[in-house]
Amino acid sequence: MSTVVESHDHGHHGPAKGLSRWLFTTNHKDIGTLYLWFSFIMLFIGGAMAMVIRAELFQPGLQIVQPEFFNQMTTNHGLIMVFGVIMPAFVGLANWMLPMQIGAPDMALPRLNNLSFWLLPMAFGILISTLFMPEGGPNFGWTFYAPLSTTYAPSTVNFFIFSVHIMGVSSILGSINIITTIFNMRAPGMTLMKMPLFVWSWLITAYLLIAVMPVLAGVVTMMLMDINFGTSFFNAAGGGDPVLFQHVFWFFGHPEVYIMILPAFGIVSHIIETFSRKPIFGYSSMVYAMASIAILSFVVWAHHMFTVGMPLAGELFFMYSTMLIAIPTGVKVFNWVATMFRGSITFETPMLFSIAFVALFTIGGFSGLMLAIVPADFQYHDTYFVVAHFHYVLVPGALFGIIAGAYYWLPKWTGNMYDETLGKLHFWLTFISVNVTFFPMHFVGLAGMPRRYPDYALQFADFNALISVGAFMFGLTQLLFLFIVIKTIRSGKQAKPEVWEGAGDLGLEWTLTSPPPYHSFTVQPQVK
Amino acid sequence: MAYIKKVYTRFCLVIPFLFSSLTFTEDSDYNMKVGVTDVSQSIFDLHMLIFWICVGIGIIVFSIMFWSLWKYRKSKGAVAADFDDNFWLEIGWTVAATLVLVWMAVPSTQVMVEAYDDAEGEINILITGHQWKWHYEYLEDEVGFFSNLSTSQEQIDGEVPKGEFYLREVDEPLVIPTNTRVRFLITGNDVIHSWWVPDFAVKQDAIPGFINTAWTNVPEPGIFRGACTELCGIKHAFMPVVVRAVEREEFDAFIAEKVALAEEERMLTSKIWTKEELMARGESFYATNCAACHQASGQGIPPVFPSLVGSEITMFDSKRHIEILMEGVQGSAMAAFGESYSEVDIASVITYTRQAWSNGENGDGVIVTPQDIVAYKNRIDL
């Protein structure tokens, strides 16, 4: 048999040339790269929409856009950032890093991997094309509550539904691939409780995706039926219930929130241990905490709906269950702090982003805890306080996790070190602008400004002007990030295999050359 | 030890001071409203309690973190220890976190039980959210009215200076008596809206086909301003809530006047109307209720909101025209106006749209009278 293998020409193992390399690739790194560039492009598209929103809200009155277009902007900004930026970026990181972290040559199902990626540009092509149709794109908020999204929606809602279906298929296929890879392709000796935390975070995330994406598909299918085939799932006049929509949507939506943060937990854990030069504190409790957060995420969905008129017992149940989530989340924060304690700490760009992640994500956690308190939520619900809360967990939370991961692994991917001075500049500009943008939102929210308003009362004017200035600064700063990434790909100091001092012992990916070979591990390493 | 005690005492003295500095700021621009009812005040206190607990935890966690970052930086020659677990520490902070949560949960539950009480009120008001206005109906006296934004389009477009209550003023506020238990029954006519008055800490979704309840008991007269807080379409930001609380006698006089007005309105139905009278009434009705979608020019925003200018229906088909106003159009944003408005209003706005924008000259110019609407209703009833 060995002679047959020997006679193969090994030349075809390199990447194909030209466009076909990207269209037909089954290589986990190429697909990871595609995912990351896709989410980067979507970040600028969704970000441009945020700029339109902030430009309109710079001062009271309607100046730049009309409310109908404003609503399309808020809706598409949300959809693109959630489904087009944060999720694909994490999948891209998973594609790059999982095989390298578990000592495998590639993902378990490479062709499926290609399909899951190429579905995404189709889905978002359809979604964004609706903005150019005569009736305009989806304008009912990223949570698309019925009946605003059914009976009262523009007819382009059908494109939106189709696009959500395709995104769901892509996520489910991607998750199947990740679970299969993790369970079947780990290097000998890597038991479950020896897996890197990023692998653990993705294993849990993949299960969440498989559990809830079909629920999302179900709810948009019910909308499709209501709109086109005369059913009345969400129409009270036909025996349905508009609140049913919210229950089903948030049964998907709350686990979705953790889908967008768990992989960031994994990334940040690696970075903090690397730059503290000290192994992560409480590895097993980190794993249990992520698992508990995932399980609890299935029983807290109605805390998004405290004002729909649930009975007292229901309100209290969802308040208590939501408060419980603070325990495992708190444990994670304590563990990160304990990892830094008595370490030997340096402050490279990935570490700066990770420290900011811990601090600002915790602030987002505090406002989350406040929002869980039902009676107080009657005042917070659907105001800018909520907007501040979820932007704190998604921007300095999820997005900082992604950016930190990109800086951390870019030298490994490209073989070149990024420019540390520019990286630090990027961090400080981002850190300042993110707080100028989102911190005052707490104040306008508490003072009574509802979300999704294209125009507002005069008392909110000062803070809104400040928020807009911060937002423009944040948006511009990310162009610097784009520049740094391109510069690193093209040139830079040659990176060593371990890249970061002492990282060689921390994970298998640091034992490979930088950049790593096309098929990461052709011989499985042995894990002690 | 004495030093710690001194610091602790100072700390305890500072907290109430911070509390009060916020509490006494009327209409704070950066904190929750204290409000005027018992419930809103309990909610404010709860909010501040949770806030200060979070601040306390934040100070502890962040101090340890930033102190570690400072103390153990490599540039100062820190050498990493190599511990990576401590069972009792893990158990300790898990238990501590749980205890803090119980501390929060107890007062939260108490305030929740206080706020959530759906017993009948002395006054019961049905609140219906419409795209994009509120309708208030006093159930005991069977009178009701719409409450529309009164800020002018010119102010919104920046053609004239904005007034003090920009986007927070309405043509007719809801009037309620003070020191009376008032119950709100809240529902929606088309999409989901949400009725919020921060001063009462009442926020309740207005859901089509379902009725939610909320209540308040306002101790002092005043004008209280709120907003719609569930995305309900284009004019979501333009349907504020204004409530005027008045002494009981003033409230009774208000209701008596409303009852008399309703009676007068009913008389108008049997009156013989001229085209000019109908046109005048129809024009103002159109501006308040129709122009949001169909535009003041009648041109609409096709294809979502069709143009009324030169349309088959507004020019030649008065029967279908009446039917649309009365029943709405299934599967579109066009609501059924028949239940909510008087025969006179419906007839006048139909007449207005059949005459305005040269529809009269180009079409059949049929005039629809209140009697036609009554006839339509009778035919349906049969």
Side-chain angles (χ1 to χ4, degrees):
Chain A
M1 282 304 285
S2 64
T3 49
V4 180
V5 177
E6 290 297 310
S7 69
H8 264 284
D9 173 14
H10 285 259
H12 76 278
H13 284 312
K17 295 275 169 274
L19 192 62
S20 63
R21 166 176 179 182
W22 302 109
L23 276 178
F24 306 123
T25 184
T26 54
N27 180 276
H28 75 98
K29 298 192 191 71
D30 286 351
I31 294 173
T33 304
L34 285 171
Y35 265 111
L36 288 171
W37 275 113
F38 174 79
S39 71
F40 212 173
I41 293 166
M42 296 311 274
L43 177 71
F44 286 104
I45 296 177
M49 293 173 175
M51 296 299 106
V52 173
I53 294 168
R54 284 322 314 176
E56 177 53 51
L57 292 175
F58 184 69
Q59 61 184 67
L62 294 176
Q63 294 89 21
I64 301 185
V65 294
Q66 288 301 307
E68 61 210 281
F69 190 67
F70 182 90
N71 287 349
Q72 293 176 38
M73 287 294 102
T74 51
T75 306
N76 286 281
H77 166 72
L79 290 168
I80 286 175
M81 289 302 189
V82 168
F83 295 102
V85 178
I86 304 291
M87 291 171 70
F90 281 136
V91 182
L93 292 171
N95 258 296
W96 257 101
M97 299 317 300
L98 291 189
M100 282 159 59
Q101 288 193 321
I102 63 172
D106 205 309
M107 297 292 280
L109 310 163
R111 290 188 185 82
L112 192 75
N113 206 5
N114 175 294
L115 176 66
S116 356
F117 172 75
W118 281 108
L119 284 173
L120 276 185
M122 309 300 151
F124 283 90
I126 291 170
L127 180 66
I128 292 172
S129 73
T130 59
L131 290 172
F132 302 97
M133 295 178 187
E135 286 190 35
N139 56 9
F140 27 68
W142 87 273
T143 53
F144 51 101
Y145 281 7
L148 188 64
S149 63
T150 53
T151 317
Y152 295 84
S155 59
T156 54
V157 66
N158 294 303
F159 286 99
F160 157 80
I161 291 172
F162 187 43
S163 146
V164 170
H165 270 135
I166 301 175
M167 289 173 208
V169 172
S170 162
S171 290
I172 291 170
L173 297 181
S175 305
I176 291 172
N177 201 352
I178 284 168
I179 293 174
T180 316
T181 306
I182 295 174
F183 278 142
N184 294 289
M185 299 183 66
R186 273 173 290 134
M190 184 179 278
T191 58
L192 283 178
M193 289 310 276
K194 280 188 185 165
M195 287 196 315
L197 282 172
F198 182 62
V199 179
W200 255 117
S201 70
W202 248 113
L203 181 64
I204 295 168
T205 303
Y207 271 107
L208 285 180
L209 278 166
I210 288 187
V212 300
M213 288 317 268
V215 178
L216 176 67
V219 78
V220 293
T221 308
M222 286 148 99
M223 282 170 61
L224 191 74
M225 302 296 282
D226 270 12
I227 295 166
N228 299 296
F229 304 108
T231 56
S232 297
F233 289 106
F234 308 131
N235 177 8
D241 179 356
V243 180
L244 172 68
F245 173 89
Q246 298 181 28
H247 281 293
V248 183
F249 176 82
W250 285 115
F251 190 83
F252 147 79
H254 202 81
E256 167 71 21
V257 171
Y258 297 133
I259 287 164
M260 291 191 283
I261 199 66
L262 287 177
F265 288 168
I267 296 167
V268 165
S269 301
H270 288 310
I271 294 175
I272 290 178
E273 64 176 351
T274 303
F275 296 100
S276 301
R277 290 170 182 73
K278 187 163 153 282
I280 192 83
F281 185 85
Y283 170 90
S284 46
S285 76
M286 286 301 233
V287 173
Y288 298 141
M290 283 193 284
S292 328
I293 292 172
I295 292 164
L296 281 173
S297 75
F298 286 101
V299 291
V300 298
W301 76 88
H303 69 213
H304 296 269
M305 314 160 44
F306 280 148
T307 62
V308 299
M310 271 183 293
L312 182 63
E315 304 266 84
L316 291 176
F317 170 79
F318 285 107
M319 173 171 80
Y320 300 145
S321 63
T322 305
M323 292 172 81
L324 277 182
I325 291 193
I327 299 173
T329 315
V331 165
K332 294 196 75 73
V333 172
F334 300 150
N335 279 333
W336 287 320
V337 174
T339 306
M340 297 174 198
F341 178 72
R342 295 189 59 198
S344 171
I345 303 165
T346 50
F347 301 93
E348 285 85 350
T349 310
M351 183 62 166
L352 290 176
F353 273 104
S354 301
I355 294 167
F357 171 95
V358 175
L360 301 183
F361 176 79
T362 304
I363 292 178
F366 287 145
S367 57
L369 189 55
M370 294 171 77
L371 283 158
I373 308 294
V374 196
D377 183 71
F378 291 154
Q379 297 283 52
Y380 309 137
H381 181 82
D382 261 337
T383 67
Y384 262 78
F385 191 77
V386 179
V387 179
H389 160 70
F390 67 72
H391 279 95
Y392 257 85
V393 289
L394 284 176
V395 183
L399 189 63
F400 274 25
I402 292 163
I403 295 175
Y407 277 113
Y408 183 56
W409 284 313
L410 252 179
K412 170 58 61 187
W413 299 337
T414 61
N416 301 324
M417 293 303 287
Y418 62 87
D419 186 325
E420 191 64 59
T421 315
L422 285 181
K424 288 207 163 96
L425 179 69
H426 174 224
F427 168 75
W428 285 109
L429 288 174
T430 303
F431 179 79
I432 293 166
S433 57
V434 94
N435 285 297
V436 173
T437 308
F438 299 118
F439 207 78
M441 287 186 181
H442 292 110
F443 301 138
V444 280
L446 289 175
M449 179 165 162
R451 65 194 281 209
R452 294 165 170 166
Y453 264 31
D455 195 2
Y456 49 84
L458 301 179
Q459 71 183 104
F460 309 122
D462 295 345
F463 277 133
N464 269 289
L466 180 65
I467 292 168
S468 289
V469 170
F472 299 143
M473 189 173 146
F474 182 81
L476 281 176
T477 304
Q478 302 323 308
L479 293 172
L480 177 62
F481 183 41
L482 178 64
F483 174 76
I484 294 170
V485 171
I486 293 173
K487 186 164 177 273
T488 311
I489 293 170
R490 296 167 75 103
S491 65
K493 209 175 90 211
Q494 177 67 39
K496 292 194 294 283
E498 70 165 19
V499 183
W500 311 109
E501 185 190 45
D505 305 331
L506 287 174
L508 292 173
E509 76 258 43
W510 307 112
T511 63
L512 292 169
T513 54
S514 304
Y518 198 55
H519 297 285
S520 307
F521 284 95
T522 40
V523 178
Q524 283 193 310
Q526 184 73 38
V527 177
K528 288 180 287 296
Chain B
M1 205 54 212
Y3 176 71
I4 292 175
K5 203 174 168 195
K6 201 172 125 199
V7 170
Y8 178 78
T9 325
R10 282 215 185 138
F11 185 71
C12 291
L13 285 172
V14 164
I15 284 197
F17 170 73
L18 288 170
F19 255 103
S20 57
S21 68
L22 294 172
T23 311
F24 292 127
T25 318
E26 283 287 317
D27 264 10
S28 162
D29 278 345
Y30 53 86
N31 199 4
M32 184 190 281
K33 277 201 169 173
V34 184
V36 293
T37 64
D38 292 344
V39 170
S40 76
Q41 276 155 17
S42 317
I43 287 180
F44 177 82
D45 292 341
L46 181 66
H47 155 72
M48 291 313 292
L49 171 73
I50 307 288
F51 172 73
W52 285 116
I53 293 176
C54 287
V55 169
I57 301 170
I59 288 174
I60 295 168
V61 174
F62 294 150
S63 325
I64 297 174
M65 182 170 95
F66 285 107
W67 176 79
S68 302
L69 290 172
W70 178 254
K71 167 110 188 186
Y72 300 110
R73 60 196 196 279
K74 185 163 180 265
S75 57
K76 230 184 69 180
V79 180
D82 70 344
F83 63 88
D84 64 0
D85 208 356
N86 185 325
F87 178 76
W88 288 108
L89 190 60
E90 297 273 4
I91 296 291
W93 62 41
T94 307
V95 172
T98 312
L99 291 177
V100 172
L101 290 176
V102 173
W103 178 20
M104 292 179 177
V106 172
S108 307
T109 307
Q110 283 164 349
V111 176
M112 187 58 200
V113 171
E114 181 191 350
Y116 231 59
D117 172 1
D118 60 358
E120 282 252 337
E122 277 179 62
I123 307 275
N124 294 281
I125 299 171
L126 178 67
I127 299 176
T128 311
H130 290 250
Q131 280 183 327
W132 291 277
K133 55 193 171 249
W134 294 100
H135 185 265
Y136 301 115
E137 186 181 345
Y138 296 84
L139 292 177
E140 283 78 18
D141 303 288
E142 294 182 342
V143 289
F145 55 88
F146 278 98
S147 180
N148 293 285
L149 175 74
S150 60
T151 303
S152 67
Q153 190 62 41
E154 288 75 32
Q155 284 190 35
I156 295 170
D157 292 336
E159 288 157 13
V160 296
K162 295 175 178 29
E164 187 189 354
F165 296 112
Y166 178 69
L167 300 186
R168 307 176 75 209
E169 54 198 352
V170 296
D171 54 359
E172 257 197 282
L174 173 68
V175 178
I176 58 170
T178 53
N179 295 309
T180 309
R181 184 186 162 90
V182 179
R183 185 166 69 149
F184 306 114
L185 300 113
I186 302 169
T187 186
N189 179 61
D190 29 53
V191 299
I192 301 177
H193 304 265
S194 190
W195 196 79
W196 183 32
V197 180
D199 285 294
F200 308 159
V202 168
K203 184 185 284 155
Q204 199 57 249
D205 289 359
I207 300 167
F210 293 83
I211 293 179
N212 279 326
T213 59
W215 68 279
T216 196
N217 192 338
V218 183
E220 57 196 73
I223 292 179
F224 306 102
R225 294 169 200 276
C228 176
T229 50
E230 185 59 66
L231 178 62
C232 57
I234 294 175
K235 300 240 161 180
H236 171 46
F238 305 96
M239 50 179 294
V241 173
V242 181
V243 181
R244 197 155 66 87
V246 297
E247 302 286 357
R248 187 67 201 224
E249 301 79 60
E250 197 181 338
F251 175 76
D252 290 337
F254 167 82
I255 289 293
E257 189 194 334
K258 279 285 164 201
V259 170
L261 265 175
E263 188 50 38
E264 216 172 285
E265 195 70 11
R266 272 190 278 277
M267 298 294 287
L268 285 178
T269 310
S270 49
K271 171 185 158 188
I272 304 298
W273 288 74
T274 67
K275 177 174 146 190
E276 284 67 34
E277 284 171 330
L278 284 170
M279 284 284 286
R281 195 179 169 106
E283 188 169 4
S284 78
F285 184 91
Y286 182 88
T288 332
N289 298 292
C290 315
C293 300
H294 294 292
Q295 306 296 303
S297 64
Q299 311 246 332
I301 309 173
V304 188
F305 305 121
S307 170
L308 305 178
V309 181
S311 118
E312 270 305 297
I313 295 167
T314 50
M315 293 200 312
F316 301 108
D317 193 349
S318 62
K319 238 178 88 186
R320 176 70 189 138
H321 200 164
I322 295 174
E323 200 173 80
I324 288 178
L325 264 288
M326 297 300 289
E327 317 299 337
V329 179
Q330 261 282 299
S332 83
M334 181 68 193
F337 285 80
E339 286 292 315
S340 329
Y341 292 93
S342 70
E343 289 86 1
V344 179
D345 282 333
I346 304 277
S348 62
V349 77
I350 293 177
T351 304
Y352 172 71
T353 49
R354 299 187 75 74
Q355 298 294 330
W357 318 300
S358 320
N359 279 351
E361 292 98 83
N362 300 333
D364 58 15
V366 166
I367 290 164
V368 174
T369 64
Q371 288 76 20
D372 294 331
I373 306 298
V374 174
Y376 174 88
K377 279 187 176 172
N378 290 341
R379 191 196 50 164
I380 292 293
D381 288 343
L382 290 174

